[in-house]
Amino acid sequence: MIICPICREEIDDDSRFCDQCGHALLYCSSCGRVGVGRRCTSCGSMMLSADEKFGKAGGLAQGSVFASSSMVDMSSHIFKSVTASKRQPESPSVTSSMLGRTPTLHLVNESLNIHIAAVNGAVIGRRQGPYSQFFEKNMYVSGVHAQLMYNNESGWCVIDKHSSNGTKLNQRPIQPDVQMVLRNDDVLTIANVNLQVKIN
């Protein structure tokens, strides 16, 4: 099983499209990981369409064929349109951004008395960032652990900044330097601290 980079649902290993969100999948030409964009975020190799990776008949392709920029551009366009169409009916953040305001993101852990009001570009860490007071005594949280970002297309995202003990979204580890979309009621785990995602 693989994880769709857009909707984070599990899908079959040899899928050409995500059967949950319809995203056209791209595979790394070297390590085989699924991702978005022109280059693999794990090893830096070129990304291939599923047809180029598996061949038209579904078996593995004989040689390594690099993705044409038009295929990557088409996949990027599909990613944007699928993300937008999926978020419009279910996400209040699209309504908020359409009204010209950024939706507010709160990260909450009641038992640890953590209430974070997100700031675009802010770092979450033990030593740096506006939230360091919540994590300064937790040795499992890195000095610069993660970053919160907002963009109009996908909404609020989290990026792991090569932390020592990792960042998880809904109990699934996320790769460093990869934007992962946050949705209302997700659970973001910074090292060993669970934070409930609230988006208004």
Side-chain angles (χ1 to χ4, degrees):
M1 299 299 273
I2 57 176
I3 305 296
C4 173
I6 305 305
C7 68
R8 299 186 315 264
E9 293 294 328
E10 285 187 354
I11 52 180
D12 291 330
D13 288 331
D14 58 350
S15 296
R16 287 169 167 35
F17 297 90
C18 174
D19 57 5
Q20 301 297 312
C21 70
H23 174 70
L25 300 175
L26 294 177
Y27 291 84
C28 175
S29 60
S30 294
C31 68
R33 291 188 183 200
V34 175
V36 295
R38 294 174 192 219
R39 297 222 172 248
C40 176
T41 57
S42 206
C43 70
S45 296
M46 294 297 290
M47 298 300 286
L48 304 174
S49 71
D51 285 341
E52 290 170 316
K53 176 77 173 163
F54 299 115
K56 298 279 184 193
L60 286 174
Q62 287 298 322
S64 181
V65 179
F66 292 104
S68 66
S69 63
S70 63
M71 179 57 78
V72 175
D73 291 341
M74 183 179 81
S75 175
S76 175
H77 174 72
I78 291 170
F79 163 73
K80 290 174 185 172
S81 63
V82 167
T83 303
S85 66
K86 184 171 181 170
R87 292 185 145 267
Q88 284 176 357
E90 64 180 312
S91 173
S93 65
V94 170
T95 304
S96 300
S97 63
M98 286 168 40
L99 295 174
R101 73 171 182 89
T102 303
T104 56
L105 168 66
H106 293 275
L107 302 174
V108 179
N109 182 314
E110 296 290 346
S111 64
L112 296 176
N113 201 25
I114 296 175
H115 296 272
I116 293 174
V119 175
N120 189 13
V123 168
I124 297 174
R126 190 176 76 246
R127 293 193 191 117
Q128 290 186 19
Y131 320 116
S132 59
Q133 75 271 17
F134 296 115
F135 304 104
E136 63 191 354
K137 294 181 181 172
N138 186 330
M139 298 308 291
Y140 294 104
V141 176
S142 296
V144 175
H145 197 100
Q147 186 175 21
L148 298 171
M149 298 294 290
Y150 179 82
N151 67 59
N152 290 329
E153 291 178 6
S154 56
W156 282 103
C157 300
V158 64
I159 305 166
D160 181 84
K161 302 305 278 182
H162 297 271
S163 62
S164 299
N165 292 304
T167 304
K168 294 180 182 177
L169 188 57
N170 298 321
Q171 300 305 314
R172 293 182 179 158
I174 65 174
Q175 296 294 317
D177 293 326
V178 176
Q179 284 191 6
M180 294 300 291
V181 176
L182 296 172
R183 300 190 196 293
N184 202 31
D185 293 324
D186 279 351
V187 176
L188 176 64
T189 305
I190 303 294
N192 62 347
V193 179
N194 290 330
L195 300 168
Q196 186 78 36
V197 175
K198 297 292 180 193
I199 301 174
N200 302 345

